[in-house]
């Protein structure tokens, strides 16, 4: 007998037929004698609608009320799935975040899970009851509903699997595994049988939304065996594993892209000690995350240009914060550009191979794609390019690194 957590994403519970199909799948597991806890997302599109309603109501919304609204989608699917299971004769009940309770910190809209008491759920699972837990939501220190950031149900599932000491955490989605790149953009993308935690973490944090970044962090820290698979068929999925469980290591195992970036260029910034601190300090104070940064060496020693990226959603605030400080910072022009994409090639094999970055630059040059910013880490090379070249760049790089499915 195994104890498993199964998570179903938005498209997997998009309507009543899909919820019934999910219930049938869970029943198979229960009939096989396993203890099952389930985590559900809201129906596809519902969270977007809820976010939109809060924005329409009040632009500068109270984050606590925002969470009260956007967490509601998961309440509906948790209840409906419990009903669909009962309808098939399966003993099941729904659990909202506050009922478990899934305790989080108080950062509304982006809360982190701190603790999940599991005594009662385990007692009921042992009696054969399926726990259907609403994903994405928790309970803050202020006793109010929190949410875990977009895509957060993945993290709910992995955290629950860790707390339950589950044998496995199955993440059911609308693709049958983790691919070498987004299969919706590159038709030749290949499904990976296995991927290391580290590579999955980079892929997720660089934009592959198949798993939320925090869920991978959590799986890595608690050694949860995560499997990504489709709720639409029975194809084998992708296992996220330790590096030593991978027999044949590729140099590059995946390519991710993120359209969430925006570029800011400051022209003629005075080139003196303390200027970077003066620019990035106020952004940090406004909780604006800066990702890539390049600063030119100034030709005459007096002025330099500085380019960096922030999240697209933070671009307007970034411009406002810096324009307000223009006099003290002393730059001449601020140029915002939201039409950029960050493309990242990822692979643990990069540690021992040279030439990966060069291959990327050469491939993009052959397609006449200009690179605006570059950044690297031990197992990743990222470039910023114009957004219009996203598909072209992804496909060319996928072929260049030998990743195309034959
Ligand atoms: P869910 O609603 O089930 O959580 P998501 O939409 O959050 O599903 O994530 C699944 C999507 O992730 C896929 O439909 C696919 O377009 C996208 N995706 C991006 N990169 C990858 C990748 N490397 N492998 C698989 N899917 C990817
Ligand atoms: N429903 C939430 C979202 O759309 C959480 C999730 O799907 O994982 O972001
Ligand atoms: Mg998701």
């Amino acid at each position: 007998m195994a104890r498993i957590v199964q998570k179903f994403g938005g498209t997997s519970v998009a309507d009543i037929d899909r919820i019934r199909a999910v219930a049938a799948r869970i029943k198979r597991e229960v009939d096989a004698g396993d203890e099952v806890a389930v985590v559900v997302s809201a129906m596809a599109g519902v969270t977007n609608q809820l976010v939109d309603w809060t924005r329409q109501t009040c632009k500068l919304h109270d984050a606590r009320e925002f969470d009260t609204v956007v967490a509601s989608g998961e309440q509906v699917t948790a209840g409906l799935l419990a009903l669909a299971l009962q309808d098939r004769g399966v003993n099941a009940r729904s659990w909202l975040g506050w009922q478990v309770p899934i305790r989080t910190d108080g950062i509304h809209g982006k809360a982190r899970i701190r603790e999940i008491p599991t005594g009662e759920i385990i007692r009921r699972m042992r009696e054969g009851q399926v726990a259907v837990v609403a994903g994405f939501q928790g309970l803050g220190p202020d006793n109010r509903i929190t949410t875990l950031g977009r895509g957060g149900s993945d993290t709910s599932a992995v955290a629950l699997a860790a707390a339950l000491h589950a044998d496995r955490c199955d993440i059911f989605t609308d693709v049958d595994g983790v691919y070498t790149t987004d299969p919706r953009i590159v038709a030749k993308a290949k499904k990976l049988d296995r991927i290391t935690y580290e590579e999955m973490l980079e892929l997720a944090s660089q934009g592959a939304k198949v798993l939320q970044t925090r869920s991978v962090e959590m799986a890595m820290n608690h050694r949860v065996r995560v499997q990504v698979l489709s709720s639409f068929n029975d194809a084998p999925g992708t296992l996220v594993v330790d590096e030593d469980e991978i027999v044949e290591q590729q140099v590059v195992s995946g390519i991710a892209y993120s359209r969430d970036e925006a570029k800011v260029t400051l022209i003629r910034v005075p080139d003196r000690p303390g200027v970077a601190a003066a620019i990035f300090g106020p952004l940090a104070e406004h909780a604006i995350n800066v990702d890539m940064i390049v600063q030119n060496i100034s030709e005459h020693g007096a002025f330099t240009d500085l380019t960096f990226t922030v999240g697209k959603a933070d671009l307007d605030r970034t411009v406002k914060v810096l324009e307000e400080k223009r006099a003290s910072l002393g730059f001449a022009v601020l140029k915002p550009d939201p039409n950029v994409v960050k493309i990242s090639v990822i692979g643990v094999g990069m540690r021992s191979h040279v030439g990966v970055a060069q291959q990327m630059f050469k491939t993009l040059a052959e397609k006449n794609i200009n690179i605006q910013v570059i950044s690297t880490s031990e197992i990743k090379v990222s470039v910023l390019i114009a957004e219009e070249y996203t598909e072209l760049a992804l496909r060319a790089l996928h072929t260049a690194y030998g990743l195309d499915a034959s």
Side-chain angles (χ1 to χ4, degrees):
M1 190 188 72
R3 178 178 292 168
I4 55 177
V5 171
Q6 301 196 311
K7 178 256 171 178
F8 295 91
T11 39
S12 303
V13 292
D15 55 39
I16 302 303
D17 282 346
R18 290 299 312 152
I19 290 176
R20 286 216 175 97
V22 163
R25 188 179 280 274
I26 295 167
K27 184 172 189 306
R28 286 206 319 242
E29 218 67 57
V30 173
D31 289 347
D34 292 335
E35 288 178 6
V36 189
V38 180
V39 172
V40 285
S41 292
M43 289 176 172
V46 166
T47 309
N48 285 347
Q49 173 72 80
L50 296 167
V51 169
D52 193 47
W53 280 342
T54 61
R55 294 210 173 118
Q56 280 183 43
T57 310
C58 174
K59 236 183 157 57
L60 290 172
H61 49 247
D62 175 343
R64 292 159 299 189
E65 302 306 350
F66 173 87
D67 279 352
T68 304
V69 176
V70 301
S72 64
E74 275 73 8
Q75 173 162 347
V76 174
T77 43
L80 288 174
L81 182 55
L83 286 174
L85 284 163
Q86 290 170 8
D87 195 44
R88 286 186 175 264
V90 178
N91 180 6
R93 76 152 271 189
S94 64
W95 294 84
L96 300 181
W98 62 268
Q99 292 171 317
V100 177
I102 297 179
R103 294 202 183 280
T104 70
D105 64 18
I107 315 291
H108 283 273
K110 233 184 181 156
R112 278 182 180 268
I113 296 176
R114 282 190 174 152
E115 195 199 352
I116 308 183
T118 49
E120 184 59 16
I121 290 186
I122 289 178
R123 192 184 68 71
R124 287 162 179 260
M125 282 170 88
R126 288 203 174 120
E127 289 172 358
Q129 188 176 75
V130 174
V132 184
V133 179
F136 184 50
Q137 51 174 265
L139 185 68
D142 54 359
N143 259 353
R144 300 196 59 176
I145 294 170
T146 52
T147 61
L148 311 179
R150 297 306 304 267
S153 298
D154 297 330
T155 304
S156 310
V158 175
L160 185 63
L164 290 171
H165 302 288
D167 298 287
R168 236 172 51 223
C169 180
D170 295 343
I171 307 281
F172 287 94
T173 181
D174 54 3
V175 285
D176 55 9
V178 179
Y179 280 69
T180 44
T181 192
D182 190 342
R184 298 196 191 283
I185 296 210
V186 179
K188 289 180 182 162
K190 243 188 324 209
K191 185 166 77 183
L192 302 164
D193 297 331
R194 284 157 186 257
I195 185 165
T196 65
Y197 288 111
E198 262 186 300
E199 287 168 321
M200 192 62 240
L201 189 62
E202 286 282 8
L203 270 180
S205 66
Q206 298 308 317
K209 63 172 184 161
V210 60
L211 288 177
Q212 197 199 34
T213 307
R214 274 190 195 159
S215 73
V216 188
E217 252 167 32
M218 179 107 48
M220 199 163 157
N221 291 341
H222 297 273
R223 287 296 179 259
V224 177
R225 277 190 92 73
V226 172
Q227 187 178 195
V228 178
L229 60 180
S230 169
S231 69
F232 293 79
N233 59 46
D234 289 323
T238 302
L239 262 181
V240 188
V241 296
D242 274 322
E243 212 170 318
D244 55 16
E245 289 185 63
I246 294 204
V247 188
E248 211 180 324
Q249 194 66 63
Q250 302 291 318
V251 180
V252 167
S253 23
I255 308 177
Y257 68 97
S258 169
R259 289 188 162 113
D260 284 341
E261 308 268 321
K263 185 180 70 166
V264 176
T265 304
L266 298 176
I267 296 172
R268 282 180 68 84
V269 182
D271 194 10
R272 54 177 156 74
V275 77
I279 291 168
F280 295 119
L283 297 183
E285 276 161 30
H286 285 81
I288 296 171
N289 255 329
V290 174
D291 180 16
M292 308 168 99
I293 304 176
V294 277
Q295 184 186 329
N296 295 337
I297 308 240
S298 58
E299 223 172 292
H300 312 294
F303 295 98
T304 183
D305 295 344
L306 185 78
T307 298
F308 58 90
T309 62
V310 294
K312 217 169 241 173
D314 289 334
L315 182 59
D316 291 348
R317 280 198 308 136
T318 303
V319 172
K320 188 163 175 277
V321 169
L322 293 180
E323 284 293 3
E324 276 168 7
K325 293 197 174 289
R326 178 198 285 259
S328 61
L329 293 173
F331 60 85
V333 183
L334 185 159
K335 287 211 300 198
D337 181 3
N339 302 315
V340 290
V341 63
K342 182 172 66 170
I343 309 251
S344 307
V345 300
I346 289 142
V348 288
M350 272 183 218
R351 289 198 196 108
S352 48
H353 283 76
V354 290
V356 175
Q358 174 52 22
Q359 172 77 271
M360 186 175 201
F361 305 153
K362 190 170 139 245
T363 307
L364 296 174
E366 280 164 8
K367 296 287 174 197
N368 248 327
I369 299 172
N370 186 40
I371 298 172
Q372 303 178 8
V373 185
I374 301 168
S375 76
T376 62
S377 77
E378 203 189 10
I379 66 162
K380 173 204 85 187
V381 186
S382 303
V383 295
L384 196 74
I385 60 171
E387 191 175 9
E388 60 187 297
Y389 299 122
T390 309
E391 283 84 1
L392 180 63
L394 279 177
R395 289 184 190 133
L397 291 168
H398 200 263
T399 305
Y401 287 110
L403 297 174
D404 287 354
S406 42

